[in-house]
Amino acid sequence: MVNFGKKLMADQVEEWESYYINYKLMKKKVKQYVNQLHQGGKDRRQIVKDFSKMLDDQIEKIVLFVLEKQGELAGRLEKLGKQRAILLEQPDISRVAELQDAYRQVGLDLIKLLKFVDLNANGIRKILKKFDKRFGYRFTDYYLSSRSDHPYSQIKQVFKHVGIKAVVGALTRNFADLQERQGSYLSIYDHPSAIPKDPIIDQINATVDKLTRSANFLQFLGQRALIIEEEEGPSEAVEEKIEEERYHFISLVLNLVNTFLYMVNTYIVVPTADNYSVSLGAAATVCGIVIGSMAIAQIFSSVYLSRWSNKSYFRPLVFSSLVLCLGNLLYAAAYDMNSIWVLLLGRLMCGMGSARAVNRRYISDCVPSKYRMKASAAFVSASALGMACGPALAGLLQWNFKLSFVTFNEDTLPGWIMAFAWLVYLAWLWIAFKEPFFSADPVPAQDSSSGHQTPVDQLESGLAQPLLLHEENKEISEEGEDGDDSEDATSEDSHKPANSFGSAYRLLTPSVKVQLLIYFMLKYAMEILLAESSVVTTYYFNWDTSTVAIFLAILGITVLPVNAAIGSYISNMFEDRQILLGSEIMVLIGVLLSFHVTSRYTVLQYVTSALITFVSAEVLEGVNLALLSNVMSSRLARGTYNGGLLSTEAGTIARVVADGTITLAGYLGQDKLLNVTLIPSLVTCIASIVGTVVTYNSLF
């Protein structure tokens, strides 16, 4: 197994050896703390105090060394700057070349320092995770928030490295000056695209991007798919060979098409669901149940199809296509059968065919790492495109005719069209899909009975942590997730994926729980906006089906441009947590503006508030899932109960609650529908903002 301890030894600069984090010592101390806690030699408060002091000392050692090296680099750049100033007045081509070589040497030393910081930052993250693994999952939040909040914070030097970026900027600017020998002054600050193309600058930028996790549009979309990378795994050569053997491009395309069609299927009924309900003798607000019944079934289908994908991807996709085809046929036939129950049964069957968890997992398990980010971005794009195409297609289906005893109109055509689409997809799937091979070694099940936790005292700082999660951890080596050091036995449990919702829940930190709450909130707000749009706009503005479809299609079309702006620009200007909090506040503003509080409710107010809410929620979703993929345990990267499934379930439950709220609020009258359904959005939005503020300093 690839392990961090050996990677640290292999990658460190020999003459800087004593300045790296002493990862091996800290692992041994964690093991000693485990034994001491079992034997009663130390209480948990003392262990936390000792470990915090040890980590403080390690970070201080790293930071002081980084500052020293920054000073040396700054001094060298200052001297070279004086030489550069002389050359600007008295140009000499041979001396310019010598000066460029000197700058390149500074660049190489800067890259060494950047890699030093990166390696130590990873070491700090891993040792915090290891401590959490042994003693509970609250220490990291406590440590990061208490240290980063301090006015003399040293940990910010490791994770924010502002000083190093200043050195990078100075070096890049000086290179630009040397390469501009035509007399005009071209500043990289005025012209960011004019960064010099010298290879050493490219290397520095690549290292800085890795260190700061700078995002571009592709990476941003990929993170939205919440396809988590495992931190540890087989050697790169072995892993690459396995991935290439499992990868099949057409099979990936089929998964993406499945995602696209499912999203079209979800939203194609939104503009007409209220009219369809009325035509079958139900209230217009029953559209909430009609739309939401698909999400209700998806709660269960996501689990059993994800579990099924442990053994096959082809069979779940075939099952999904068949069920969706049959569900849409029932949805369309309900009109001539004059039965609201057949309509609901059809939508429930469509939800039972949801294979989004399988689609996500296929990308995670079967797409090589070098293509995975592109595939993840394609997954999100396919979802967004389907979301926009569904209402748009509904707006085009305005025919009304009858063949024999079968009616084709704006209510039934979505069902007939989607049934045909799934039938065509099934034929393509049967012909072209290639089943990847599965390992013959089954993953042993974890004993859920070993998860006993003992109540413990509250830390003086407010930090509450359970005792060791497993009594048998006496025998578990300090090796943990990293698989380090030959003297330690390999801990298989530390690599096992969660095998139940309970075990997955125990892997969630408070920060992750807040992010899942935010995901619930934004999905609720979006579903309320979309699902009740037809009823609300008909009641207040007398919009017809085509107008509602155009409005919803425009909302859907905003997804990709908004993500392009966030991924390419805004995420590189602000921290993810800053964008997160700002987006939550904007969603709150959009929700507040949506309330009907005056005597007249105008189209301008509705459209403006809807755009603010929807666009802000889209921004929030991207940043939320990006943060979630960073802070979630790597044990949730694989298996049935993976991070993608958890986020899918949180979002699906939010949609179910939203659609149920619409139907229940309808009993109070359509004049009260809008305000009543917005109240839960307001409450959950405020709760998510409070949660973000509380965990803000742990969102590194």
Side-chain angles (χ1 to χ4, degrees), residues 275-553:
N275 291 333
Y276 203 171
S277 300
V278 171
S279 68
L280 297 179
T285 52
V286 172
C287 69
I289 294 181
V290 173
I291 297 169
S293 55
M294 200 166 169
I296 292 172
Q298 187 180 339
I299 294 175
F300 305 100
S301 65
S302 295
V303 177
Y304 73 74
L305 287 180
S306 181
R307 183 180 291 276
W308 199 353
S309 64
N310 288 329
K311 298 179 180 179
S312 171
Y313 292 102
F314 176 68
R315 294 189 188 95
L317 291 175
V318 169
F319 174 82
S320 166
S321 305
L322 286 171
V323 172
L324 279 157
C325 184
L326 181 57
N328 281 290
L329 288 174
L330 288 174
Y331 180 86
Y335 188 89
D336 292 304
M337 298 174 70
N338 194 30
S339 173
I340 188 69
W341 297 109
V342 173
L343 181 74
L344 293 174
L345 178 61
R347 288 292 286 179
L348 280 170
M349 291 194 68
C350 287
M352 294 301 289
S354 171
R356 286 176 63 80
V358 178
N359 304 145
R360 272 195 178 109
R361 188 168 178 188
Y362 183 88
I363 295 173
S364 176
D365 291 356
C366 303
V367 177
S369 54
K370 59 184 177 182
Y371 305 130
R372 197 170 296 147
M373 186 60 73
K374 292 181 180 179
S376 302
F379 174 86
V380 174
S381 300
S383 299
L385 188 60
M387 184 179 179
C389 288
L393 183 58
L396 297 175
L397 301 177
Q398 298 300 304
W399 306 311
N400 190 350
F401 60 94
K402 197 164 186 175
L403 292 178
S404 184
F405 55 87
V406 180
T407 302
F408 296 87
N409 58 25
E410 65 178 16
D411 296 332
T412 64
L413 277 169
W416 297 121
I417 292 293
M418 291 312 303
F420 177 75
W422 284 112
L423 192 62
V424 172
Y425 173 79
L426 178 61
W428 184 20
L429 181 73
W430 195 274
I431 295 169
F433 190 85
K434 180 182 177 182
E435 182 79 274
F437 76 89
F438 284 79
S439 173
D441 298 327
V443 179
Q446 289 176 312
D447 182 6
S448 60
S449 65
S450 63
H452 176 69
Q453 296 182 359
T454 308
V456 292
D457 298 327
Q458 187 93 354
L459 281 179
E460 294 174 351
S461 63
L463 174 66
Q465 298 185 36
L467 289 176
L468 293 177
L469 298 180
H470 306 283
E471 289 298 323
E472 56 268 34
N473 272 357
K474 291 182 187 178
E475 307 300 327
I476 294 179
S477 74
E478 64 186 296
E479 171 271 331
E481 292 187 357
D482 303 308
D484 295 338
D485 304 330
S486 58
E487 68 266 21
D488 294 329
T490 301
S491 173
E492 294 182 2
D493 283 346
S494 64
H495 295 283
K496 288 179 181 177
N499 71 331
S500 67
F501 274 118
S503 58
Y505 181 82
R506 287 193 291 271
L507 294 173
L508 304 182
T509 67
S511 298
V512 174
K513 292 175 184 176
V514 169
Q515 296 309 307
L516 288 174
L517 171 63
I518 293 171
Y519 193 65
F520 176 93
M521 177 273 293
L522 68 91
K523 283 298 182 183
Y524 179 93
M526 292 173 70
E527 186 70 10
I528 286 291
L529 171 62
L530 298 175
E532 72 178 11
S533 59
S534 182
V535 178
V536 169
T537 55
T538 300
Y539 178 78
Y540 287 107
F541 318 126
N542 291 320
W543 283 5
D544 58 17
T545 299
S546 297
T547 307
V548 176
I550 292 171
F551 171 69
L552 294 177

Side-chain angles (χ1 to χ4, degrees), residues 12 27 75 173 258 288 312 355 415 418 425 437 486 649 682:
Q12 65 183 218
K27 281 201 330 175
R173 186 179 69 83
N258 183 283
S312 171
M418 291 312 303
Y425 173 79
F437 76 89
S486 58
E649 293 293 86
L682 181 64

Side-chain angles (χ1 to χ4, degrees), residues 285 539 664-674 676:
T285 52
Y539 178 78
L664 293 175
Y667 288 106
L668 301 176
Q670 292 191 26
D671 58 326
K672 297 181 175 61
L673 175 67
L674 182 64
V676 171

Side-chain angles (χ1 to χ4, degrees), residues 77 98 154 240 334 363 380 392 407 530 551 573 636:
L77 285 174
E98 292 176 2
Q154 292 181 324
E240 184 176 348
I363 295 173
V380 174
T407 302
L530 298 175
F551 171 69
M573 297 168 60
L636 294 172

Side-chain angles (χ1 to χ4, degrees), residues 22 51 89 155 463 596 687:
N22 196 332
F51 185 74
E89 297 177 358
I155 199 167
L463 174 66
H596 180 199

